[in-house]
Amino acid sequence: MREFLLGFGSIMRSGWRASPRRMVVVFALMLLEYVSWPLAPLVLKEVTDAVVARDVEGATVAAAFLPFLALLNQIGGHLAHVVWVELCDLNLLQVNRELGELSHGPQGLEHHERPDYADRLELMRNEGNPMYQSVRVSVRSLGLAVQLTITIVMLTLLEPLLLLLLLFALPPLATARWAHRRFEFAIWGDVERSREATHLLDLAVRADAAKEIRIFGLEDELRGRLRASREQLRRRRFRAEYEGVAVMSAGQLVFALGYVGGLLLVVRGAVAGEHTPGDVVLAVTLAAQMNTLVYDIVFASGFLQRSAQAMARLAWLRGLIARLYPPATRAAAVPARLREGIRFERVGFTYPGTETEILRELDLEVPAGATIAFVGENGAGKSTLVKLLCRFYDPTSGRIVVDGEDLARFPAADWRERIAAGFQDFVRFELVARESVGVGDLAAVEDGAVVAAAVERAAADDVVMQLPDGLETQLGKSHADGAELSGGQWQKLALARAMMRTAPLLLILDEPTSALDAHAEHVLFERYAASARAVARATGGIAVFVSHRFSTVRMADLIVVIDGGAIVEQGSHAELIARGGMYAELFSLQAAAYG
Ligand code: ADP
């Protein structure tokens, strides 16, 4: 119940935020519509009693009201429909915007790793209609409550025993609740399969999956799996829907029986002279309305519970994000330049929702202005170190200290503003080339000269030169006339993006050159080292790179060899070779392979 009320409140607030003006209009129209329903039987009663009493004037005035009420109701209905559609659209836009903000707004990545977050997101994705209709069904429910109250008051005035009908209204409401629970149970049971179906569909339409799907001849297999998982989802959901409808109908039958009893009471009263003929007309017309009313209430309450649940999920997501990322207390200011450097103090890290400790009691000192390379086998923990440096996560134990200040105390956004980074899993921004590079420093995105300089620093001039309109060329297949680039060319642009910020405290290149050939990588790293030195002079910035190519790694001042989440060796290239340990072994293996 608490969740329902929370969801209901959240729907109303959401509607109000989407458009206060439209909310007022729909409330007014709703009142007009739902009050006019029970008024019509009252007018009919007056007409009947006036006719029986041969009161011509009274009958005429009362009868004139009827078409007027009907007209009011219809005009209200038409107008309301248009405003509704607009309000529902605005509300859904707003909910989607909030979902986007919840997903991308937080400073860290932890929420993306959590299965409970993924489950709720998946359910919300599948519950588009209840979300869309949420404001409408909520206001409508209030309207139905108004109509029910007026009807009950009228019935009580007519015959107090009819109040017992309220008891008969309980079974339909209880069965509607049961049906809702049944449906919820079905979709929660399905959420994993539903995510699987979404993934399969994604695979079926994604361009980058097409090559492997063709080569391995997976088309039929993929289609078959998608069909099977969709079919199972459909069957389970509709079974829940049909069972719900059957049980809800039984609840309504109980109410109908109660109502027949009530009607008999009034009719017998009229025969005995205790009620007027108008009272009988009133009871019969209210009865007809009451049947529809209870049906509407049952249906609306079922739907409202689904909408409220969907909105409660949104509130849950909001709560999770607030819990995971509390605003930094005693935030510290990011220094303008590094004087001492960065120190890892007994840093341990375990990914959220997992058990394995990926980094263990790691100590490391990187002086300001240094160039440092992380080396190690796949899965050693190099990228995890980089993620901690970017504050995508905070260490589970220990701390990272920047010029004597705990990194966790810097507001993540301020810290990231001072990071220039290129990653192996780079993004292909299908924009104009200038923007695709320029978004690396949004403030300079319009400045062609600044972008061109970054392109040069990343040794990506050859890519831009081949483009028909240079930096102004539209990129990517999402545009009919967009230029398509090779993997290596996209990667060079990603590197240029990483070079946009000119005064970073941290320059990160995390295997960003995997799609480049050895020569291109070498040229790039020479330029990179030059700009890293310039940055080091200007800001004391530290350059961090992760690479598998030792010709690149050896350029670093400090090489750190990671194995199983711990540092096993560190020193310069010459020192590590002289030591004859793991680095020397890996180096000679690669030298032999490329000899
Ligand atoms: P490297 O960069 O040295 O190849 P990573 O730092 O990417 O290694 O990974 C180190 C370990 O952390 C691996 O065992 C990997 O499976 C695990 N890991 C990486 N990312 C995640 C994640 N998001 N959730 C759970 N485990 C992860």
Side-chain angles (χ1 to χ4, degrees):
M1 189 66 189
R2 207 182 140 262
E3 202 174 45
F4 171 75
L5 288 178
L6 264 178
F8 183 76
S10 158
I11 292 172
M12 287 300 179
R13 274 194 302 278
S14 176
W16 183 258
R17 276 204 307 272
S19 172
R21 201 160 35 95
R22 287 181 185 82
M23 275 300 263
V24 172
V25 174
V26 293
F27 258 96
L29 291 175
M30 175 272 285
L31 274 180
L32 205 70
E33 182 181 348
Y34 287 96
V35 170
S36 72
W37 275 109
L39 282 189
L42 197 64
V43 175
L44 265 183
K45 167 193 153 60
E46 294 302 324
V47 174
T48 313
D49 282 343
V51 169
V52 172
R54 305 208 171 274
D55 170 4
V56 177
E57 195 186 341
T60 316
V61 172
F65 255 106
L66 273 180
F68 175 70
L69 271 179
L71 186 71
L72 212 62
N73 201 310
Q74 280 210 333
I75 292 178
H78 286 317
L79 183 58
H81 182 72
V82 180
V83 186
W84 274 128
V85 173
E86 224 188 341
L87 185 61
C88 288
D89 273 354
L90 285 169
N91 184 49
L92 193 67
L93 271 180
Q94 176 180 277
V95 168
N96 283 338
R97 198 180 318 124
E98 184 175 358
L99 268 180
E101 278 165 14
L102 285 175
S103 175
H104 297 296
Q107 304 295 350
L109 299 180
E110 185 171 342
H111 56 297
H112 287 301
E113 314 274 355
R114 296 177 61 119
D116 49 0
Y117 174 87
D119 284 352
R120 280 173 176 83
L121 211 60
E122 180 67 27
L123 287 177
M124 289 189 71
R125 206 172 286 145
N126 291 333
E127 291 282 81
N129 195 32
M131 296 277 282
Y132 181 75
Q133 301 278 358
S134 60
V135 186
R136 180 171 197 162
V137 76
S138 300
V139 179
R140 203 168 117 74
S141 302
L142 287 180
L144 289 168
V146 170
Q147 187 185 344
L148 182 67
T149 315
I150 299 181
T151 309
I152 288 173
V153 169
M154 283 164 61
L155 285 175
T156 318
L157 292 178
L158 191 65
E159 169 61 64
L161 266 181
L162 287 181
L163 261 187
L164 283 179
L165 277 178
L166 278 183
L167 286 183
F168 283 90
L170 292 180
L173 290 175
T175 47
R177 190 163 167 73
W178 182 90
H180 168 68
R181 290 240 174 102
R182 172 77 187 83
F183 185 77
E184 269 290 301
F185 182 72
I187 60 171
W188 268 110
D190 275 347
V191 66
E192 207 143 296
R193 185 162 285 273
S194 169
R195 262 193 282 153
E196 178 194 73
T198 307
H199 171 66
L200 290 173
L201 185 66
D202 187 42
L203 274 183
V205 299
R206 250 170 45 194
D208 61 345
K211 275 191 299 197
E212 289 205 31
I213 289 171
R214 302 284 185 290
I215 286 289
F216 298 127
L218 298 177
E219 298 92 334
D220 287 344
E221 177 68 22
L222 196 60
R223 263 198 298 274
R225 284 187 187 215
L226 185 58
R227 203 177 315 117
S229 79
R230 278 280 157 93
E231 182 53 29
Q232 194 172 344
L233 280 173
R234 196 189 60 76
R235 235 181 295 132
R236 279 176 56 106
R237 282 194 185 185
F238 277 89
R239 194 180 313 138
E241 298 263 22
Y242 281 122
E243 282 178 23
V245 169
V247 172
M248 273 158 55
S249 306
Q252 271 180 268
L253 190 64
V254 174
F255 179 78
L257 290 177
Y259 209 91
V260 170
L263 262 189
L264 287 180
L265 218 68
V266 179
V267 172
R268 289 168 72 105
V271 173
E274 290 160 19
H275 292 302
T276 65
D279 290 344
V280 177
V281 170
L282 179 61
V284 171
T285 36
L286 278 181
Q289 279 189 8
M290 191 76 164
N291 243 342
T292 333
L293 179 61
V294 170
Y295 176 80
D296 282 354
I297 288 178
V298 166
F299 182 78
S301 83
F303 203 81
L304 181 60
Q305 289 184 57
R306 266 163 83 173
S307 296
Q309 197 97 54
M311 289 302 269
R313 279 183 194 117
L314 185 64
W316 185 93
L317 293 179
R318 218 182 281 134
L320 174 78
I321 298 294
R323 218 169 47 247
L324 287 181
Y325 311 105
T329 43
R330 296 191 309 117
V334 177
R337 53 171 297 141
L338 282 185
R339 291 178 201 286
E340 297 163 27
I342 299 181
R343 206 169 57 239
F344 285 70
E345 292 179 354
R346 303 174 75 77
V347 168
F349 182 68
T350 305
Y351 277 98
T354 66
E355 303 282 317
T356 324
E357 196 170 34
I358 302 296
L359 300 177
R360 253 165 276 145
E361 306 232 331
L362 195 136
D363 286 307
L364 176 66
E365 180 122 23
V366 190
T371 305
I372 164 174
F374 291 132
V375 190
E377 294 182 342
N378 285 333
K382 305 179 295 292
S383 296
T384 306
L385 272 172
V386 167
K387 286 188 224 168
L388 294 187
L389 279 172
C390 294
R391 276 209 67 197
F392 293 144
Y393 305 93
D394 286 331
T396 327
S397 59
R399 56 184 201 148
I400 300 173
V401 177
V402 178
D403 269 9
E405 192 66 73
D406 188 345
L407 175 60
R409 287 191 50 206
F410 296 148
D414 294 356
W415 174 241
R416 289 194 199 129
E417 243 173 54
R418 304 297 305 278
I419 299 179
F423 299 101
Q424 183 176 20
D425 44 358
F426 55 88
V427 179
R428 298 164 187 225
F429 286 104
E430 300 196 345
L431 306 166
V432 172
R434 174 180 45 72
E435 295 170 332
S436 192
V437 173
V439 290
D441 183 7
L442 210 49
V445 69
E446 299 297 334
D447 192 333
V450 171
V451 174
V455 166
E456 207 211 315
R457 281 198 294 280
D461 347 31
D462 55 336
V463 179
V464 175
M465 255 151 32
Q466 282 169 23
L467 296 174
D469 296 319
L471 277 176
E472 294 307 320
T473 309
Q474 174 65 53
L475 303 179
K477 287 204 188 89
S478 56
H479 297 265
D481 55 349
E484 191 40 56
L485 305 179
S486 72
Q489 288 172 322
W490 274 115
Q491 195 160 34
K492 281 190 170 188
L493 292 188
L495 279 161
R497 189 155 62 238
M499 300 292 171
M500 278 296 290
R501 289 190 173 147
T502 48
L505 296 181
L506 202 56
L507 281 120
I508 291 176
L509 293 189
D510 183 359
E511 295 191 54
T513 49
S514 55
L516 304 188
D517 55 58
H519 175 70
E521 173 169 312
H522 193 75
V523 173
L524 173 88
F525 269 93
E526 275 183 342
R527 295 204 198 178
Y528 172 71
S531 57
R533 274 192 296 277
V535 165
R537 275 195 300 277
T539 67
I542 289 171
V544 176
F545 56 88
V546 179
S547 171
H548 277 116
R549 293 193 174 121
F550 283 78
S551 52
T552 307
V553 170
R554 64 189 298 173
M555 289 194 259
D557 306 328
L558 177 65
I559 298 165
V560 176
V561 186
I562 319 256
D563 190 28
I567 297 178
V568 289
E569 287 173 12
Q570 56 177 303
S572 68
H573 175 75
E575 283 163 4
L576 292 176
I577 291 290
R579 212 181 132 146
M582 191 171 180
Y583 179 82
E585 192 187 330
L586 290 171
F587 181 76
S588 62
L589 273 178
Q590 198 171 87
Y594 291 101

